[in-house]
Amino acid sequence: MTGGREPGRAADRDAVEAANTAFYTAMEEGDFERLEQLWLDDGTTDISCVHPGWPVLTGRGEVLRSYALIMAHTDYIQFFLTDVRVSLSGDTALVTCTENILSGGPAEDGAELGPLVGQLVVATNAFRRTPEGWRIWSHHASPVIAEADDGTPPAAGDADPGPSA
Amino acid sequence: MTGGREPGRAADRDAVEAANTAFYTAMEEGDFERLEQLWLDDGTTDISCVHPGWPVLTGRGEVLRSYALIMAHTDYIQFFLTDVRVSLSGDTALVTCTENILSGGPAEDGAELGPLVGQLVVATNAFRRTPEGWRIWSHHASPVIAEADDGTPPAAGDADPGPSA
């Protein structure tokens, strides 16, 4: 962490972390309008998004449609964020964090809620400073797959390291 | 794509794409020193890296050690990059691309090369402009998991959408 190395950057760091939290809160609350506001919309800079296991989505149309789809298929989602780190440079900030996700789909057979599923996901979120505050430029989230039996992490590009210890 | 909207930005865009290509070429050639040079090293900005299925790695020590480990376990790796898109804002650039990977581990039983494995991975790479050129600030790569039977993509945070169609 570089916190404290540049005096005056602490406020930026707090603002970025608040924007990052707001992003996940909007997801938890299913607040599509808030989510829409949080994504960068300066008319020139392309946004992009990778949900866990998905290909890259580019541009507001594709990205926002994906959130509408996810919200429609998600009755309950909660993010317990850990390992939140902010890296600032100029008017850009990168936030990495672990998303400990608990989620449930629509209920079936008259139940109040579908089965809850826990997932371990890591994200890199890029934010851009705008006159309205920090806005999301890119979100890339991916599943954390367990280490192999011998303790070595999965190889480069290896999506299936085999059964974990 | 925003190409052409800002005259003078075309050269930046080309330079960023060249830096992105150099990053993958260094991996293909197992050129650790070149890779080390390509990662941002300004003394204040933290770098981060997520390999497919891995947790977040932060700082030059962790990030570069992971590449040394991957190179030691990889006898052959080739990246066929597709869907390369550059999004520029100020002195930061984000590159998204699909890494069509063909790789092989160390040979066993006297064979010349271990079995080759093909993998579909997407990446978001953040670059920062420096006096020495564009340098990698963050790399986040993740496996693309096939769509579910009903044609809907995996749910938010869903690392295992089940068997594909």
Side-chain angles (χ1 to χ4, degrees), chain A residues 2-14 88 129, chain B residues 44:
Chain A
T2 57
R5 283 185 211 163
E6 288 182 62
R9 286 298 241 173
D12 279 346
R13 197 169 290 274
D14 288 350
L88 268 169
R129 190 201 306 270
Chain B
T44 57

Side-chain angles (χ1 to χ4, degrees), chain B residues 44-56:
Chain B
T44 57
T45 313
D46 276 326
I47 60 173
S48 63
C49 178
V50 178
H51 300 295
W54 289 39
V56 179

Side-chain angles (χ1 to χ4, degrees), chain A residues 1-2 5-6 27 40 42-48 50-56 58 62 69-70 73-74 77 79 85-94 96-99 101 103 119-124 126 128 137-146 150 152-160, chain B residues 1-2 5-6 27 40 42-48 50-56 58 62 69-70 73-74 77 79 85-94 96-99 101 103 119-124 126 128 137-146 150 152-160:
Chain A
M1 305 295 294
T2 57
R5 283 185 211 163
E6 288 182 62
M27 281 296 290
L40 186 65
D42 65 5
T44 56
T45 314
D46 276 325
I47 60 172
S48 63
V50 178
H51 299 296
W54 288 38
V56 179
T58 309
E62 268 188 26
L69 183 69
I70 288 170
H73 284 83
T74 307
I77 190 160
F79 296 90
R85 285 166 181 255
V86 178
S87 179
L88 268 169
S89 191
D91 292 329
T92 307
L94 299 183
T96 56
C97 56
T98 302
E99 304 174 354
I101 304 175
S103 65
Q119 282 152 353
L120 188 61
V121 166
V122 286
T124 302
R128 191 78 193 150
W137 182 4
S138 161
H139 167 68
H140 191 140
S142 60
V144 177
I145 299 166
D150 61 359
T152 59
D158 192 349
D160 180 13
Chain B
M1 304 297 293
T2 56
R5 286 186 207 161
E6 290 182 61
M27 281 295 291
L40 185 64
D42 65 4
T44 57
T45 313
D46 276 326
I47 60 173
S48 63
V50 178
H51 300 295
W54 289 39
V56 179
T58 311
E62 267 187 28
L69 184 70
I70 288 169
H73 284 83
T74 308
I77 190 160
F79 296 90
R85 284 166 182 255
V86 178
S87 178
L88 267 169
S89 189
D91 292 329
T92 307
L94 299 183
T96 56
C97 55
T98 302
E99 304 174 355
I101 304 174
S103 65
Q119 282 152 349
L120 188 60
V121 167
V122 287
T124 303
R128 190 77 193 153
W137 182 4
S138 161
H139 166 68
H140 192 139
S142 60
V144 177
I145 299 167
D150 60 0
T152 58
D158 193 349
D160 179 14

